[in-house]
Amino acid sequence: MIRIITDSASDLPEEYIKRHKLHVIPTPVVIDDVDYFDGATIRTKEFYAILDDIRRDVKTYHINPAMFTEAFLPYAQAKDTVIYLCFSTGIAGTYNAAHIAKDNVLEEYPDFDLTIIDSKSASIGFGLVVSKLVAMLEQGASKEELIEAADYYIAHIRHVFTVHTLAYLIKGGRLTKVKGTVAETLDMKPILIVDEKGALSVIKTVRGRKKSLRFLVDYAKENGCHLENQQIAICHGEDEEGRDYMLSVIEQEIKPKSVMVGTVGCAIGAHTGRGIVGLCFMDADDGKYGKYFTQPELCC
């Protein structure tokens, strides 16, 4: 049997995970020297309540080989064929750790068929790629088609994000204290993308929260392909106001086929704080994989 698995950095909605019986490996987070696991032993509401107190010591580390070995073993024992889509190697070391675990499992189960794919994606953009493959698998796609489609969708997924506060970027050393304090005073909001290598990159700074959120929509309108026929996705760091504003603007200006809404989990949220908001979409249609989806194939 072919199985698709992923990790919690995909920030897929809980109801989606349950409906499709998707195995999501939890990413770890350390809070005041105690290990927790995203979506398993800590939920986002509790996590952000802790994170709001910037004095709390919150750190993350990627899923390690031992955790991956534990996750992969049942599939090897069941003789399943597995495709694992992982968090971008441009942000975390998940891909290498998964390969170490694969080698460990193969020593005992040499016929285990496991393909590990670097999504070069993050958060709900990562989740959108996973959802494409899940839909294809449920419609009878072969392993070879799924792997080929993964490369296609990874090449065409777009992410654009902004944050509400710079405090966590300063705390994590991703922004100097001097530059960060000045930018915070001027109410400057960075606009970030996940680039073609799967790394985070700042493309612009915008003054004011609503202007930064509007820029996300403008970016999608400029770079997306037939957004009205897409399922697009937004993510937020337990920020209902930001989520609702984005949904309102998207409905007015894009009118997509559907919107998937995810909450940014521990893997990314620990470094951004409450209020991160992202918009993810495709810059191409489904191409030859359109037969697996209900929307028409369109050419950009």
Side-chain angles (χ1 to χ4, degrees), residues 132-142 145-146 289 291-294:
K132 289 286 191 182
L133 297 198
V134 168
M136 289 179 63
L137 177 60
E138 291 175 348
Q139 292 297 316
S142 68
E145 283 182 296
L146 291 167
Y289 309 107
K291 63 185 179 181
Y292 290 106
F293 304 95
T294 56

Side-chain angles (χ1 to χ4, degrees), residues 7-250:
D7 57 67
S8 65
S10 58
D11 292 336
L12 283 160
E14 187 174 351
E15 60 270 21
Y16 177 91
I17 294 168
K18 289 179 179 177
R19 184 166 68 250
H20 296 277
K21 298 179 181 178
L22 184 65
H23 181 185
V24 178
I25 305 171
T27 54
V29 59
V30 183
I31 302 172
D32 298 329
D33 296 323
V34 177
D35 280 20
Y36 296 86
F37 296 92
D38 189 13
T41 60
I42 190 167
R43 302 289 179 178
T44 54
K45 286 190 181 298
E46 179 187 3
F47 171 70
Y48 281 101
I50 293 168
L51 198 62
D52 284 341
D53 183 351
I54 203 163
R55 297 169 298 177
R56 300 290 295 268
D57 184 23
V58 180
K59 301 173 183 175
T60 61
Y61 62 95
H62 62 74
I63 304 166
N64 63 38
M67 297 172 189
F68 276 123
T69 300
E70 183 180 357
F72 293 155
L73 267 175
Y75 298 106
Q77 293 164 348
K79 299 182 179 179
D80 287 329
T81 294
V82 175
I83 298 173
Y84 165 55
L85 281 93
C86 75
F87 191 20
S88 173
T89 53
I91 301 173
T94 310
Y95 181 80
N96 291 334
H99 270 283
I100 292 170
K102 176 181 177 179
D103 291 341
N104 292 339
V105 175
L106 286 173
E107 289 182 7
E108 187 174 355
Y109 298 93
D111 295 327
F112 181 37
D113 186 359
L114 169 63
T115 302
I116 301 168
I117 298 174
D118 176 6
S119 73
K120 296 182 183 177
S121 305
S123 190
I124 201 65
F126 175 15
L128 266 182
V129 174
V130 172
S131 72
K132 289 286 191 182
L133 297 198
V134 168
M136 289 179 63
L137 177 60
E138 291 175 348
Q139 292 297 316
S142 68
K143 170 193 164 184
E144 290 73 24
E145 283 182 296
L146 291 167
I147 293 170
E148 185 183 76
D151 289 339
Y152 177 81
Y153 287 119
I154 288 167
H156 291 291
I157 189 71
R158 293 290 198 104
H159 317 62
V160 60
F161 296 87
T162 190
V163 295
H164 192 36
T165 174
L166 301 176
Y168 298 88
L169 297 178
I170 296 169
K171 183 180 179 181
R174 290 168 172 78
L175 190 63
T176 66
K177 189 172 183 179
V178 172
K179 287 184 178 180
T181 301
V182 171
E184 200 82 305
T185 302
L186 296 174
D187 197 25
M188 300 303 293
K189 309 297 183 186
I191 307 295
L192 304 95
I193 61 168
V194 179
D195 64 25
E196 65 277 3
K197 295 180 181 178
L200 292 174
S201 177
V202 178
I203 60 167
K204 190 179 180 68
T205 55
V206 178
R207 178 173 287 183
R209 174 65 164 174
K210 282 201 172 180
K211 284 185 179 179
S212 69
L213 296 179
R214 282 301 308 248
F215 184 87
L216 305 186
V217 177
D218 291 340
Y219 182 89
K221 289 164 65 178
E222 182 178 344
N223 294 280
C225 173
H226 295 291
L227 296 176
E228 71 278 5
N229 288 312
Q230 285 194 35
Q231 177 183 55
I232 65 174
I234 66 170
C235 58
H236 64 99
E238 286 294 348
D239 179 3
E240 294 182 0
E241 183 178 345
R243 176 200 65 195
D244 292 346
Y245 178 77
M246 286 292 291
L247 287 171
S248 174
V249 176
I250 287 168

